[in-house]
């Protein structure tokens, strides 16, 4: 009886925040609810989520791993989507950690965002994020994990664009979205690959069937696909350029997303899929190389960053790179401990960036030097030529982003424009088109913007 | 008693809007009254269709026939029915017509636009209900005429010519198919050579060219590359009620499932792999073009093409998850494209343009409009918890059996579509806004029925996505029947189960006995 109760309680960890987000969304329909109501609903939900996570810890301590099956979400002929959760040490630890961090963030943000125009939006998105993270770590199948992954992704993008009246946050949000969407292909490929290869995406079944399918090429493909997905979410080389840009969001969301939880979701995926990654040496070598390159580039970039949040963001990516190396080398327990410790430290550092100048002044007064002085001293230890070269490379972030733009983004956009020109040419065969599509000058139908004409009035 | 009600409901679904269109066009002059009458008729049709769906949607066979009496004109019979394939399409079509009427600015409803929306509604309902190839063809061509008539008045000559060509090609293909069917029927001595159910039961071999002609008409209607020009042109330049053409594409996938797949299974097997390839190319082509556009309506137009590619790819797999996913995707993409197009039209009505370089920052004036676009976009790209997620998941699972490369390509397409729609969202609604957008003094948010219609569309997508099993169950019988199709055996002229269920045939046998 007790295991069933604890399992049911644990399974509710993602439900509470999702339910609270829906309640607040409904409250928004008639008009903007008060900050007090939103804060109360949110706080209650995250406390309940914490209680559910505590159930998970108790379950793990008393009964060991549990494969909790709730049936199928939907069935169609030979295919079904299983609703299954895996309660083991990894998911229990992560779930409790997530609940604590989210609760702290909510408490911090109620005061921090007081009278901010986007107060309600922030809490709705934070609740969606909390639901997504909890689902991600409790998911017993790759497909369910993908759903949590997507929730985390969309809430992250929308929080980067939180200050939507400015151009930079919106542009940064698009960058984050593009990276996420591209790298999500990896997770989807991994999930459908698992289904095709082993006939299931349920982790427990996958791990049980792996020994009979060792050394197959499909294992390598699935492993590499999952690594690619993890690289995107955890801002690893070469797709990590979005992380410093994501600092445009509110500090509280930067702390919880890019210092603490979201950026470590990739590492969690690697830990969860560890038996699959171990199937192939190539996958592990790729993990080590990606982690090593990221650690070096991000550490150097962090040293030369001009603002506190970017410096912490690069430092985060660097440490996550080290976790990738640990996973590649098979030190999974070390990686988990590293994850929790690092996420806690970075979370605190991000929240303190608001007081960075004050902290520096105190440090200067107490010690006679600051962290920046120490960093500068390290650079001065090198001779001038390599120092200049390395400094420039670090400033440019090793030109990874321009290279990706040149070799990936630009060709796609050029192809799009070429196809559009062909389409317009084809349409022009049917008569003169008064307008143009891609890359053309402003269309003739653009309204008259002269002062005399004024703005077009609504026709409703 | 229920049969009597049903017999009344079926003609009401298509005849009532057509009659009302005639009345609104020729007998009512005042625009406000035209609008009120049209909305009233659309409500009646919607509730009737919903009742029919709830009462009979779960029947997987053609059990409820209406007016299956003698010939009406030559060999044309008004043979209509509701089954799992069309049960959902009927209320959905009525709902979208209703949303179009409610959301179209009153000023744009002048010039008998309301009558045209009703005419499109009536003809589409007729198409979905028809079990007679000739009736289906008649409504098929007729459904495009109101839009074509409007394009004559628009200043876009390319749009008018493209639409004319599309209608001409469809007419030629369908007329040729009917002539060949009539010849085949005469040769085999069939009394009703166009009756789809009779053809399926009799197993009379039709010339494959008939299948090719119907396939061509369906692909043209779906806007499959390279037959997509009419669709993007309509999405970009069609006047007023541009949300309605989104329903036309669902007619293409419906035509494939209603005519081509049951009557020409051998042809379907032959063209399965090429159709998967064409569908994948269409999906990628539409996504690539959507990502580079500057006009909101063009983004939606190319996204629409991309979605149709995904639908075709799923249908062409010919396996249960693929077909089930494709049919669901065909339905959800209609709702999503209609919703997005309605929002684009509302932006156009308020800002005078949909060029995204002249927009931006609209969220400050229209948060509801912005939220609506965001939610519809998320749904359109298959965000978990929406119908499209379920549909895409099933379609990709269907592709995995034999077309792994196409499945991988579909994942890339989904990612590209997500980027295209979010980019459009960002340029239209977020950011500091262009000079033009900042000078829009009277840009109003969604209000009244516009708001309610948008909420209803979003609620449909979300509820359907969270609880998809009933939607899948509606078509389970059809998918199962299509799964067990076998080419006719010419030795004993026995046709495998095509559409009609076993029990009905047994009943027929008992009656004959």
């Amino acid at each position: 009886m007790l295991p069933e109760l604890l399992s049911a309680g644990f399974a509710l960890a993602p439900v509470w925040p999702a339910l609270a987000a829906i309640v607040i969304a409904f409250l928004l329909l008639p008009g903007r609810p008060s900050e007090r109501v939103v804060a109360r609903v949110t706080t209650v939900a995250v406390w309940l989520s914490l209680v559910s996570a505590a159930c998970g810890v108790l379950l793990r301590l008393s009964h060991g791993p549990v494969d909790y099956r709730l049936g199928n979400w939907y069935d169609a002929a030979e295919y079904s989507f299983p609703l299954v959760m895996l309660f083991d040490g990894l998911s229990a630890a992560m779930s409790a950690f997530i609940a604590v961090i989210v609760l702290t963030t909510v408490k911090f943000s109620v005061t921090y965002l007081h009278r901010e125009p986007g107060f309600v939006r922030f809490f709705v998105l934070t609740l969606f994020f909390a639901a997504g993270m909890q689902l991600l770590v409790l998911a017993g199948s790759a497909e369910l994990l993908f759903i949590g992954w997507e929730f985390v992704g969309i809430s992250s993008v929308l929080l980067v664009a939180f200050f939507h009246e400015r151009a930079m946050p919106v542009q940064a949000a698009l960058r984050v979205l593009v990276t996420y969407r591209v790298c999500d292909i990896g997770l989807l490929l991994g999930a459908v690959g698992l289904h095709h290869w082993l006939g299931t995406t349920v982790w427990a079944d996958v791990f049980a069937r792996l020994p009979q399918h060792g050394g197959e090429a499909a294992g390598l493909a699935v492993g590499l696909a999952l690594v690619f997905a993890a690289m995107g979410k955890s801002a690893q080389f070469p797709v990590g350029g979005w992380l410093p840009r994501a600092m445009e969001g509110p500090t509280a969301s930067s702390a919880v997303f890019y210092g603490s939880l979201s950026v470590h979701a990739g590492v969690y995926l690697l830990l969860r899929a560890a038996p699959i990654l171990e199937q192939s040496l190539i996958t592990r070598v790729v993990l080590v190389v990606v982690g090593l390159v990221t650690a070096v580039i991000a550490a150097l970039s962090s040293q030369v960053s001009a603002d506190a949040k970017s410096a912490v963001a690069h430092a985060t990516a660097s440490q996550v790179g080290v976790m990738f190396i640990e996973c590649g080398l098979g030190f999974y327990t070390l990686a988990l401990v590293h994850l929790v410790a690092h996420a806690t430290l970075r979370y605190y550092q991000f929240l303190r960036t608001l007081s960075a100048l004050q902290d520096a002044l105190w440090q200067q007064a107490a010690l006679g030097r600051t962290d920046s002085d120490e960093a500068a001293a390290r650079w001065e230890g090198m001779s001038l030529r390599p120092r200049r070269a390395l400094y420039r490379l670090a400033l440019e972030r090793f030109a990874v982003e321009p290279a990706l733009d040149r070799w990936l983004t630009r060709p796609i956009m050029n192809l799009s424009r070429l196809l559009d020109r062909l389409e317009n040419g084809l349409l022009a065969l049917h008569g003169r088109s008064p307008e143009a599509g891609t890359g053309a000058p402003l269309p003739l139908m653009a309204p008259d913007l002269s002062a005399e004409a004024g703005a077009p009035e609504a026709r409703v | 008693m229920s049969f009597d009600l049903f017999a009344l409901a079926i003609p009401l679904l298509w005849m009532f809007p057509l009659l009302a269109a005639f009345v609104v066009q020729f007998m009512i002059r005042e625009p406000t009254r035209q609008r009120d009458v049209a909305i009233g008729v659309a409500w009646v049709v919607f509730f009737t269709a919903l009742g029919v769906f709830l009462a009979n949607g779960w029947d997987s066979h053609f059990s409820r026939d209406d007016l299956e009496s003698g010939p009406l004109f030559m060999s044309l019979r008004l043979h209509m029915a509701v089954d799992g394939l069309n049960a959902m399409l009927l209320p959905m079509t009525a709902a979208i017509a209703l949303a179009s009427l409610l959301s179209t600015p009153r000023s744009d409803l002048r010039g008998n636009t309301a009558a045209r929306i009703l005419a499109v509604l009536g003809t589409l309902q007729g198409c979905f209900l028809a079990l007679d190839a000739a009736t289906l063809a008649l409504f098929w061509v007729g459904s495009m005429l109101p839009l074509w008539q409007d394009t004559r008045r628009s200043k876009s000559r390319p749009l008018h010519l493209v639409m004319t060509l599309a209608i001409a090609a469809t007419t030629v293909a369908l007329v040729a198919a009917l002539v060949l069917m009539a010849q085949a029927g005469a040769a085999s001595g069939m009394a009703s050579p166009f009756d789809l159910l009779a053809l399926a039961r009799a197993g009379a071999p039709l010339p494959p060219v008939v299948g090719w002609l119907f396939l061509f008409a369906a692909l043209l209607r779906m806007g499959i590359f390279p037959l997509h020009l009419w669709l993007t042109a309509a999405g970009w330049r069609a006047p007023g009620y541009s949300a309605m053409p989104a329903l036309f594409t669902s007619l293409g996938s419906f035509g494939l499932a209603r005519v081509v797949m049951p009557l020409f299974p051998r042809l379907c097997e032959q063209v399965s792999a090429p159709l998967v390839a064409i569908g994948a190319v269409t999906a990628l082509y539409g996504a690539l073009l959507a990502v580079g556009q500057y006009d909101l309506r063009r983004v939606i137009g190319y996204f629409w093409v991309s979605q149709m590619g995904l639908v075709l790819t799923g249908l062409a797999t010919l396996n249960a998850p693929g077909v089930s996913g494709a049919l669901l995707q065909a339905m959800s993409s209609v709702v999503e494209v209609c919703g997005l197009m309605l929002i684009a039209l509302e932006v156009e009505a308020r800002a005078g343009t949909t060029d995204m370089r002249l927009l931006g920052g609209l969220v400050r004036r229209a948060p509801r409009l912005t939220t609506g676009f965001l939610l519809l976009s998320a749904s359109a790209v298959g965000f978990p918890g929406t119908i499209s997620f379920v549909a895409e998941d099933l379609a990709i699972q269907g592709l995995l059996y034999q077309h792994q490369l196409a499945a991988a390509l579909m994942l890339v397409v989904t990612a590209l579509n997500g980027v295209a729609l979010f980019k459009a969202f960002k340029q239209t609604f977020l950011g500091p806004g262009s000079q033009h957008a900042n000078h829009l003094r009277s840009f109003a948010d969604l209000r009244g029925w516009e708001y309610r219609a948008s909420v209803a569309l979003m609620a449909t997508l979300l509820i359907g996505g969270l609880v998809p099993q009933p939607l899948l169950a509606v078509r389970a019988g059809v998918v199962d029947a299509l799964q067990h199709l076998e080419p006719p055996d010419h030795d004993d002229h026995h046709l495998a189960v095509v559409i009609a269920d076993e029990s009905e045939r047994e009943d027929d046998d008992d009656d004959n006995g």
Side-chain angles (χ1 to χ4, degrees):
Chain A
M1 187 62 190
L2 185 65
E4 281 81 15
L5 273 177
L6 289 175
S7 296
F10 197 16
L12 287 172
V15 175
W16 301 119
L19 208 58
I22 292 167
V23 167
I24 297 175
F26 271 108
L27 290 176
L28 272 169
L29 283 178
R32 188 187 153 93
S34 74
E35 285 189 6
R36 192 184 298 271
V37 170
V38 172
R40 277 188 184 160
V41 172
T42 308
T43 310
V44 168
V46 293
W47 268 113
L48 287 171
S49 189
L50 183 59
V51 171
S52 293
C55 289
V57 175
L58 284 176
L59 182 71
R60 173 71 186 92
L61 292 175
S62 59
H63 294 89
V66 174
D67 190 26
Y68 191 60
R69 303 198 180 218
L70 297 162
N72 291 331
W73 183 12
Y74 53 85
D75 305 274
E78 307 107 62
Y79 176 73
S80 60
F81 190 109
L83 287 176
V84 53
M85 293 186 166
L86 181 57
F87 302 151
D88 59 359
L90 179 62
S91 62
M94 284 300 292
S95 176
F97 180 64
I98 290 163
V100 170
I101 292 286
V102 171
L103 180 62
T104 316
T105 308
V106 167
K107 287 285 184 191
F108 176 86
S109 306
V110 169
T111 316
Y112 177 65
L113 290 169
H114 178 51
R115 293 198 174 177
E116 180 70 41
F119 185 91
V120 181
R121 183 159 39 100
F122 177 85
F123 282 99
V124 169
L125 292 173
T126 303
L127 285 166
F128 267 120
F129 165 73
M133 272 310 292
Q134 290 284 6
L135 188 61
L136 193 155
V137 298
L138 297 184
S141 70
E143 284 150 333
L144 209 54
L145 186 145
F146 175 76
I147 293 180
W149 191 270
E150 285 288 284
F151 269 72
V152 169
I154 194 74
S155 49
S156 168
V157 168
L158 293 176
L159 276 169
V160 171
F162 185 78
F163 300 110
H164 53 70
E165 61 282 352
R166 291 193 284 119
M168 283 300 287
V170 175
Q171 194 59 36
L174 181 62
R175 185 88 190 190
V176 176
L177 180 109
V178 171
T179 311
Y180 277 3
R181 291 296 297 185
V182 170
C183 293
D184 286 353
I185 295 173
L187 185 52
L188 280 169
L189 274 177
V192 295
L194 273 178
H195 205 279
H196 191 62
W197 178 37
L198 301 174
T200 180
T201 55
V202 176
W203 294 125
D205 298 341
V206 166
F207 301 152
R209 291 177 197 180
L210 271 176
Q212 290 94 49
H213 295 84
E216 292 180 10
L220 171 65
V222 170
L224 288 177
L226 294 178
V227 168
F228 184 61
M231 284 161 58
K233 208 58 138 195
S234 290
Q236 296 297 290
F237 173 84
V239 286
W242 61 268
L243 188 61
R245 293 168 193 264
M247 297 303 121
E248 296 284 351
T251 298
S253 69
S254 298
V256 75
F257 280 81
Y258 315 116
S260 185
L261 299 179
S262 173
V263 78
H264 291 98
V267 181
Y268 174 81
L269 176 65
L270 298 179
L271 293 173
R272 176 53 75 209
I276 301 170
L277 305 180
E278 284 179 348
Q279 294 288 308
S280 157
L281 181 65
I282 296 173
T283 311
R284 297 174 69 174
V285 169
V286 168
L287 264 180
V288 172
V289 171
V290 166
L292 195 63
V293 174
T294 310
V296 172
I297 291 178
L300 287 169
S301 301
S302 172
Q303 298 276 315
V304 301
S305 285
D307 68 289
K309 278 175 84 174
S310 291
V312 179
H314 282 300
T316 305
S318 171
Q319 286 298 312
V320 173
V322 175
M323 288 174 219
F324 268 57
I325 297 172
E326 289 160 2
C327 289
L329 296 175
F331 302 133
Y332 298 112
T333 310
L334 176 65
L336 178 62
V337 173
H338 192 173
L339 187 161
V340 174
H342 178 250
T344 313
L345 172 73
R346 293 298 179 207
Y347 181 69
Y348 172 74
Q349 281 187 330
F350 266 109
L351 292 185
R352 285 300 300 177
T353 53
L354 298 169
S355 320
L357 284 176
Q358 195 178 24
D359 287 353
L361 286 174
W362 283 352
Q363 209 174 13
Q364 178 76 36
L367 304 173
R369 64 180 191 283
T370 63
D371 290 340
S372 304
D373 295 334
E374 286 182 5
R378 277 197 294 274
W379 282 90
E380 280 164 12
M382 296 173 70
S383 56
L384 192 61
R385 276 178 77 92
R387 190 203 313 171
R388 276 187 181 163
L390 201 58
Y391 194 87
R392 182 163 178 198
L393 274 174
L395 265 183
E396 301 276 341
R397 292 164 193 166
F398 290 73
V400 176
E401 278 192 65
L404 278 178
D405 281 344
R406 182 170 180 184
W407 299 110
L408 197 68
T409 314
R410 215 177 293 169
I412 290 174
M413 295 309 287
N414 286 342
L415 180 61
S416 177
R417 292 192 180 106
L418 176 71
L419 291 175
D420 193 65
R421 278 200 295 276
L422 289 173
E423 284 256 318
N424 283 334
L426 211 55
L427 269 179
L429 293 176
H430 300 91
R432 193 182 69 83
S433 173
E435 295 159 29
T438 309
L442 283 176
L444 299 177
M445 69 177 275
D448 186 0
L449 305 181
S450 62
E452 297 78 28
E457 296 299 321
R459 288 187 282 136
V460 181
Chain B
M1 185 61 191
S2 63
F3 181 78
D4 292 339
L5 284 175
F6 211 83
L8 277 175
I10 289 183
L12 186 128
L13 285 173
W14 66 272
M15 214 183 282
F16 189 40
L18 287 180
L19 286 173
F22 180 82
V23 170
V24 168
Q25 173 90 29
F26 297 109
M27 299 170 76
I28 302 175
R29 290 283 163 229
E30 194 191 345
T32 311
R33 197 162 165 72
Q34 284 183 339
R35 181 177 184 271
D36 292 344
V37 170
I39 288 172
V41 170
W43 272 117
V44 171
V45 174
F46 170 68
F47 280 119
T48 310
L50 193 64
V52 166
F53 167 59
L54 294 174
N56 265 70
W58 276 259
D59 283 351
S60 61
H61 49 83
F62 297 151
S63 61
R64 301 286 189 179
D65 295 350
D66 169 61
L67 300 178
E68 197 178 4
S69 52
L72 186 74
F73 176 70
M74 294 173 72
S75 299
L76 193 150
R77 292 172 62 175
L78 271 180
H79 186 187
M80 294 186 168
V82 177
D83 69 338
L85 190 60
N86 63 10
M88 265 194 294
L89 291 168
L90 298 171
M92 188 189 78
T93 307
I96 285 169
L98 189 58
S100 298
L101 281 165
L102 291 169
S103 305
T104 307
R106 285 167 194 267
S107 54
D108 286 358
L109 273 181
R110 288 180 195 138
N112 298 313
T113 302
R116 290 198 186 96
I117 293 179
L118 287 179
V120 172
L121 171 63
T123 48
L124 284 175
Q125 299 279 48
C127 276
F128 294 138
L129 286 165
L131 281 185
D132 183 287
T135 319
L136 180 68
L138 191 66
F139 283 126
W140 188 301
V141 175
S143 64
M144 288 186 92
L145 291 178
L147 183 66
W148 175 77
Q149 201 183 359
D150 257 358
T151 60
R152 284 175 63 193
R153 295 178 189 175
S154 76
K155 291 174 185 173
S156 178
R157 184 172 160 73
L159 172 64
H160 178 59
L161 275 168
V162 166
M163 288 299 291
T164 308
L165 285 175
I167 292 176
T170 307
T171 310
V172 168
L174 292 179
V175 167
L178 291 178
V179 169
L180 290 169
M181 284 173 87
Q183 281 181 350
S188 61
M190 283 187 73
S192 48
F194 302 135
D195 192 304
L196 299 174
L197 188 53
L199 283 168
R201 281 176 179 160
L206 287 169
V209 68
V210 177
W212 281 105
L213 290 167
F214 271 107
L215 182 64
F216 170 76
L219 296 184
L220 179 60
R221 184 51 79 94
M222 287 175 78
I224 296 299
F225 178 84
L227 306 171
H228 65 285
L229 275 182
W230 74 269
L231 199 152
T232 48
W236 182 30
R237 297 289 294 145
Y241 54 102
S242 299
M244 291 297 281
L247 286 163
F248 294 169
T249 49
S250 67
L251 187 56
S253 51
F254 172 82
L256 279 179
R258 176 65 95 211
V259 182
V260 183
M261 291 170 78
L263 295 184
F264 304 96
R266 187 164 286 161
L267 173 68
C268 287
E269 279 176 15
Q270 286 167 354
V271 298
S272 168
L275 282 184
V276 167
I278 292 171
V281 168
T282 304
L284 187 63
Y285 182 81
L288 269 175
L289 274 155
V291 87
Q293 298 298 323
Y294 286 124
D295 190 283
L296 186 58
R297 284 179 66 168
R298 279 175 75 95
V299 173
I300 298 168
Y302 284 112
F303 168 75
W304 190 5
V305 172
S306 180
Q307 291 295 90
M308 287 304 107
L310 184 60
V311 171
L312 178 66
T313 311
L315 277 176
T317 59
L318 300 179
N319 59 43
V323 173
S324 189
L327 291 176
L328 197 60
Q329 180 70 12
M331 194 202 76
S332 69
S333 65
V334 166
V335 180
E336 289 146 5
V337 169
C338 278
L340 289 171
M341 196 58 91
L342 281 174
I343 288 180
L345 290 170
E346 278 148 10
V347 168
E348 191 174 22
R350 289 158 165 82
T353 180
T354 46
D355 190 305
M356 295 183 292
R357 289 165 295 182
L358 294 170
L359 298 170
L362 298 183
V363 63
R364 289 189 292 281
R365 293 161 199 254
R368 285 173 172 178
L369 199 67
T370 309
T371 310
F373 190 89
L374 180 67
L375 289 179
L376 284 166
S377 301
S379 173
V381 298
F383 191 75
T386 61
I387 299 180
S388 280
F389 174 78
V390 180
E392 285 176 11
D393 187 27
L394 287 171
I396 288 169
Q397 292 296 340
L399 280 170
L400 269 181
Y401 290 104
Q402 288 178 316
H403 310 282
Q404 290 87 0
L405 189 62
L409 202 60
M410 285 303 114
L411 299 178
V412 176
V413 166
T414 313
L416 273 176
N417 280 333
V419 173
L421 285 183
F422 188 80
K423 189 163 159 260
F425 172 70
K426 179 207 113 182
Q427 290 182 330
T428 308
F429 296 100
L430 305 183
S434 69
Q435 195 184 4
H436 169 60
N438 292 333
H439 282 89
L440 291 171
R441 290 190 296 270
S442 56
F443 195 98
D445 202 356
L446 290 179
R447 48 193 176 192
W449 279 105
E450 284 178 341
Y451 179 50
R452 281 169 221 153
S454 299
V455 169
L457 284 177
M458 284 180 269
T460 306
L461 293 168
L462 289 174
I463 294 169
L466 289 172
V467 194
Q469 198 55 49
L471 295 179
L472 292 169
V474 170
R475 282 164 171 176
V478 174
V479 172
D480 191 48
L482 290 172
Q483 262 285 285
H484 296 97
L485 289 174
E486 287 170 17
D489 185 347
H490 296 291
D491 294 335
D492 58 1
H493 289 281
H494 168 74
L495 183 70
V497 177
V498 179
I499 306 164
D501 74 341
E502 291 290 349
S503 61
E504 192 181 357
R505 293 198 302 155
E506 283 165 12
D507 290 344
D508 290 346
D509 294 340
D510 292 342
D511 292 345
N512 293 337

